[in-house]
Amino acid sequence: MPQPAEAAFFDLDNTMVRGASLYYLARGLHARHFFSRRELQLFARRALHFALRGENLGHLVEVRELALALVAGHRTADLRAIGEEVYDEYVGAKVRPGTQALASRHLAAGVPVWLVTAAPVELADVIARRLGLTGALGTVAENVDGTYTGRLIGEPLHGEAKAHAVRELAARLGLDLARCAAYSDSANDLPLLSMVGQPVAINPDATLRRHASAHGWPVHEFRHWRTAARWSLRLGTAGLAGVAVVSVAGLLQRRSGRP
């Protein structure tokens, strides 16, 4: 049996779920008349950029400021209730079975599994609980008497801030980071990945893929369309043919419901 000092930390967006969880929350809030279609389109553009190119700190800050402004004056209990509905409406279908299986292996072995994300902690808590995980760390919005002020407590859990939050959790729970594992798709999470004994790249961006290869880290690729596109390039059918492969693969995914 593993010692209690072990734990596994999973990034959320493009690691545990396909796409940007904040966009799914935005869709749910828009459907409940929290903001306009134009504002939703801004979230959509940022989510598309994220899906294609990975995290960008400038975009993250922009979307964060918009999100804080939109929830200011609303009750925390309302956002948590909406988070439950958003999971049922959008997020549950976006969970990557491959990544979920990795988390389940840790849990089956008695190892705690934590979700660590820049997404709002209210949504992160819902997703972690629905997936049967141990808990979640997320970005915390300030509230006074249960009402959001439009400000953050601390920094968004991104990059070094995410690593710092995990260090604090490890100190509080007595975890040995050398015995812990971490999973992410983004080079922005290198501070977290580099401080654990078992770093793993999931659907990595180009920078993280190179780093993982150079350091002998395991890499898991669960994006079927990405694999199809890579084979197209290897066979010398880039250009329009490559675009066609990606488009057809994406269409098949939507029809079959695969990740």
Side-chain angles (χ1 to χ4, degrees), residues 175-194:
L175 302 175
D176 180 358
L177 289 174
R179 294 174 55 83
C180 292
Y183 299 78
S184 178
D185 70 294
S186 173
N188 292 310
D189 283 336
L190 280 172
L192 169 61
L193 293 166
S194 298

Side-chain angles (χ1 to χ4, degrees), residues 91-190:
V91 178
K94 303 296 184 181
V95 174
R96 291 191 183 277
T99 309
Q100 186 177 12
L102 293 173
S104 296
R105 289 179 199 170
H106 286 290
L107 292 169
V111 176
V113 174
W114 289 81
L115 205 59
V116 189
T117 174
V121 68
E122 293 85 355
L123 181 60
D125 283 341
V126 168
I127 296 172
R129 179 167 46 77
R130 291 295 196 97
L131 294 177
L133 308 184
T134 307
L137 300 176
T139 298
V140 180
E142 181 185 67
N143 76 84
V144 175
D145 296 329
T147 299
Y148 290 111
T149 65
R151 297 184 294 271
L152 285 184
I153 296 177
E155 296 294 321
L157 256 61
H158 180 269
E160 288 286 355
K162 184 182 289 189
H164 180 70
V166 169
R167 286 192 198 95
E168 288 189 336
L169 179 69
R172 188 166 71 247
L173 299 181
L175 302 175
D176 180 358
L177 289 174
R179 294 174 55 83
C180 292
Y183 299 78
S184 178
D185 70 294
S186 173
N188 292 310
D189 283 336
L190 280 172

Side-chain angles (χ1 to χ4, degrees), residues 30-236:
H30 172 259
R32 291 158 181 82
H33 310 294
F34 271 59
F35 53 85
S36 69
R37 178 173 294 276
R38 181 179 180 182
E39 289 164 327
L40 178 63
Q41 289 170 345
L42 172 60
F43 276 101
R45 287 195 298 272
R46 294 304 180 233
L48 177 60
H49 185 281
F50 174 71
L52 294 175
R53 299 186 179 181
E55 292 180 357
N56 176 287
L57 184 56
H59 291 167
L60 183 68
V61 170
E62 181 181 354
V63 172
R64 179 200 72 193
E65 295 301 326
L66 175 59
L68 286 170
L70 294 174
V71 300
H74 290 279
R75 304 285 297 175
T76 58
D78 292 340
L79 192 63
R80 288 186 180 275
I82 291 171
E84 297 282 355
E85 297 170 0
V86 165
Y87 184 91
D88 292 329
E89 294 167 3
Y90 306 111
V91 178
K94 303 296 184 181
V95 174
R96 291 191 183 277
T99 309
Q100 186 177 12
L102 293 173
S104 296
R105 289 179 199 170
H106 286 290
L107 292 169
V111 176
V113 174
W114 289 81
L115 205 59
V116 189
T117 174
V121 68
E122 293 85 355
L123 181 60
D125 283 341
V126 168
I127 296 172
R129 179 167 46 77
R130 291 295 196 97
L131 294 177
L133 308 184
T134 307
L137 300 176
T139 298
V140 180
E142 181 185 67
N143 76 84
V144 175
D145 296 329
T147 299
Y148 290 111
T149 65
R151 297 184 294 271
L152 285 184
I153 296 177
E155 296 294 321
L157 256 61
H158 180 269
E160 288 286 355
K162 184 182 289 189
H164 180 70
V166 169
R167 286 192 198 95
E168 288 189 336
L169 179 69
R172 188 166 71 247
L173 299 181
L175 302 175
D176 180 358
L177 289 174
R179 294 174 55 83
C180 292
Y183 299 78
S184 178
D185 70 294
S186 173
N188 292 310
D189 283 336
L190 280 172
L192 169 61
L193 293 166
S194 298
M195 74 184 193
V196 299
Q198 303 171 50
V200 182
I202 303 287
N203 312 320
D205 60 30
T207 301
L208 179 56
R209 185 178 295 277
R210 289 193 297 270
H211 190 94
S213 177
H215 291 79
W217 294 355
V219 174
H220 295 282
E221 180 59 74
F222 298 129
R223 296 169 294 189
H224 300 296
W225 64 268
R226 181 71 170 265
T227 303
R230 188 178 302 118
W231 273 107
S232 174
L233 292 173
R234 287 177 181 176
L235 292 173

